[in-house]
Amino acid sequence: MPDENKTERAPRFPLDVKVNCDGNKFVYSKNISSSGILLISDIDFPEGKILQMNFLLPEESREISAFGKVARIEQVSENYFEIGIKFWDIDEDDKQLLDDFFNNQRM
């Protein structure tokens, strides 16, 4: 019998790009899914914080702009954190760019 409390995670795809958070904080991504992005940062963002993010997907010239909520944070070394961001608000055109990226990753 399936565990009703367990939610299925969207597939993650490796993504190593620079992400501009809140206009002046630069971090890097580790992976991305349709529901969020995992960031590597030396900044300790608090859980629940809403971030405005801008980033370029590989081989794209138009930046994606999205709002995300810090869902989890884990210290992975003395100076770095993994920050799980759940997409909170994303424009339809940017969502389409992400969908196209995911479809190309599955081919």
Side-chain angles (χ1 to χ4, degrees), residues 14-104:
L15 182 69
D16 182 12
V17 298
K18 187 186 244 184
V19 180
N20 183 342
C21 293
D22 290 342
N24 63 357
K25 299 173 184 102
F26 293 93
V27 299
Y28 286 89
S29 63
K30 183 174 180 180
N31 65 45
I32 193 167
S33 74
S34 60
S35 61
I37 189 167
L38 183 63
L39 304 177
I40 302 293
S41 172
D42 60 351
I43 303 166
D44 183 5
F45 293 107
E47 257 185 69
K49 179 170 177 57
I50 303 295
L51 297 173
Q52 199 278 323
M53 300 173 292
N54 295 301
F55 58 94
L56 282 170
L57 291 172
E59 302 179 23
E60 286 294 334
S61 59
R62 190 169 64 82
E63 217 175 37
I64 288 182
S65 181
F67 286 91
K69 185 175 185 178
V70 176
R72 70 172 186 86
I73 185 161
E74 179 182 340
Q75 190 163 2
V76 293
S77 74
E78 186 175 332
N79 299 315
Y80 288 96
F81 303 89
E82 280 189 353
I83 302 163
I85 306 290
K86 181 172 178 49
F87 289 131
W88 185 61
D89 185 24
I90 186 165
D91 180 80
E92 279 303 313
D93 290 341
D94 291 338
K95 177 101 173 79
Q96 186 60 54
L97 272 180
L98 281 173
D99 290 344
D100 293 345
F101 173 78
F102 299 135
N103 289 333
N104 288 335

